[in-house]
Amino acid sequence: MSITAKDVNELRKKTGAGMMDCKKALTESNGNMEDAIDFLRKKGQKIAAKRGDRDAKEGLVIAKSNNNIGYLICLNCETDFVAKNDDFSNLANYFIKLALESNSDSLEDFLKLNYQDSELSISEKITEQSGVIGEKIEISYFDKIASEKVVAYNHPGNQIASLVGLTMDADDIGKQVAMQVAAMNPIALDQDSVGQDVIDREIEVGKELAIQEGKPMEMAEKIAKGRLNKFFKETTLLNQAFIRDNKKSVGQFLKESDPDLMITSFKRYSL
């Protein structure tokens, strides 16, 4: 398989590894991006981000909730200059407001809605604004949470936003958890929510690293499972150290706040 400069650049952005290391990793992995990331990890190369966020250029990420429904939308443009423009900000905020009012279940449904009182659909309005501004504009991310209570958090600058679904009304607690999600980017709620393919992958990488460190083969898997527990602690929301008090986990913080309070789901997006 032919490895392109675009492939190499994408891997560099995801991992922080050098250009030649990325090219070699892709070659060894027949162009498979995930296998190439594992190759670099096993070789001990720097991994700047194990779980890269979705691709995006400039724009605004906005989350908004209305009691038991919440939406998270990313409206993209090409330059930071446009992203900071009031008209662009107003458009993004109108979109999130309309999403809540319409209770849309998907981006496809949302794009068919009418823009204000005009005959234009949202999709057509985006196309129109692209012509007016002279830049490509698109909604690159659109997601929804429904729960007994949904709390939204927008990080200053609107580059990161998050939603958290709760089993009961708890605004302040929900906001603290939503800030945790925005800051720490968990991949799952708890270890039971992590896919088996992810677990198998972490064990394989852990075994390979243990062997490279000179550990006996029979100890490698045991060491890998120990590292897996650390992986769960770092990447699952309930097991992560609580950012406001790292002596306790998020799960402990919730239990101390209200034993009956539970997180049903969460979403996070970063530009």
Side-chain angles (χ1 to χ4, degrees), residues 184-195:
M184 301 307 294
N185 192 18
I187 65 169
L189 181 59
D190 55 27
Q191 61 194 60
D192 294 332
S193 306
V194 179

Side-chain angles (χ1 to χ4, degrees), residues 104-119:
S104 299
D105 288 324
S106 67
L107 177 58
E108 183 181 7
D109 291 341
F110 178 75
L111 291 174
K112 294 176 183 177
L113 298 175
N114 283 350
Y115 176 76
Q116 294 182 345
D117 297 325
S118 71
E119 295 182 358

Side-chain angles (χ1 to χ4, degrees), residues 127-180:
T127 301
E128 177 199 70
Q129 286 301 297
S130 293
V132 171
I133 294 172
E135 290 191 10
K136 180 181 179 181
I137 296 174
E138 63 178 353
I139 297 175
S140 64
Y141 185 83
F142 181 98
D143 216 337
K144 171 186 178 183
I145 279 184
S147 193
E148 188 66 26
K149 178 66 179 181
V150 180
V151 179
Y153 171 72
N154 293 281
H155 191 69
N158 290 111
Q159 302 291 289
I160 303 173
S162 60
L163 293 170
V164 172
L166 303 169
T167 54
M168 62 178 70
D169 195 343
D171 275 320
D172 183 59
I173 296 170
K175 183 176 181 181
Q176 292 187 63
V177 175
M179 290 174 68
Q180 173 88 24

Side-chain angles (χ1 to χ4, degrees), residues 5-216:
K6 182 180 178 182
D7 295 330
V8 173
N9 190 45
E10 181 180 351
L11 185 58
R12 289 187 69 191
K13 287 181 179 179
K14 285 178 178 289
T15 66
M19 183 178 70
M20 295 308 296
D21 291 322
C22 288
K23 185 175 181 180
K24 181 179 179 181
L26 285 165
T27 301
E28 292 290 333
S29 307
N30 294 318
N32 184 288
M33 191 63 62
E34 294 302 317
D35 288 347
I37 291 172
D38 283 350
F39 178 88
L40 289 170
R41 291 180 66 193
K42 290 175 182 179
K43 293 299 180 183
Q45 296 295 333
K46 178 183 176 183
I47 304 298
K50 295 178 183 177
R51 304 171 306 281
D53 290 321
R54 297 170 186 264
D55 290 337
K57 292 185 179 179
E58 300 296 337
L60 298 174
V61 184
I62 300 177
K64 192 175 180 66
S65 62
N66 184 9
N67 197 25
N68 61 352
I69 296 173
Y71 284 88
L72 209 169
I73 292 177
C74 178
L75 183 65
N76 282 104
C77 57
E78 294 181 28
T79 65
D80 184 55
F81 176 78
V82 168
K84 292 179 178 178
N85 183 276
D86 286 343
D87 290 339
F88 185 83
S89 177
N90 291 337
L91 186 65
N93 280 285
Y94 172 75
F95 285 164
I96 197 84
K97 178 174 176 288
L98 181 61
L100 279 169
E101 291 174 351
S102 64
N103 196 17
S104 299
D105 288 324
S106 67
L107 177 58
E108 183 181 7
D109 291 341
F110 178 75
L111 291 174
K112 294 176 183 177
L113 298 175
N114 283 350
Y115 176 76
Q116 294 182 345
D117 297 325
S118 71
E119 295 182 358
L120 293 176
S121 67
I122 294 300
S123 179
E124 291 167 336
K125 180 62 179 179
I126 290 172
T127 301
E128 177 199 70
Q129 286 301 297
S130 293
V132 171
I133 294 172
E135 290 191 10
K136 180 181 179 181
I137 296 174
E138 63 178 353
I139 297 175
S140 64
Y141 185 83
F142 181 98
D143 216 337
K144 171 186 178 183
I145 279 184
S147 193
E148 188 66 26
K149 178 66 179 181
V150 180
V151 179
Y153 171 72
N154 293 281
H155 191 69
N158 290 111
Q159 302 291 289
I160 303 173
S162 60
L163 293 170
V164 172
L166 303 169
T167 54
M168 62 178 70
D169 195 343
D171 275 320
D172 183 59
I173 296 170
K175 183 176 181 181
Q176 292 187 63
V177 175
M179 290 174 68
Q180 173 88 24
V181 171
M184 301 307 294
N185 192 18
I187 65 169
L189 181 59
D190 55 27
Q191 61 194 60
D192 294 332
S193 306
V194 179
Q196 189 59 47
D197 56 333
V198 175
I199 293 173
D200 292 343
R201 179 181 173 186
E202 288 302 314
I203 290 176
E204 179 61 30
V205 170
K207 283 167 62 177
E208 185 67 28
L209 287 172
I211 291 169
Q212 288 185 28
E213 290 166 359
K215 301 298 189 294

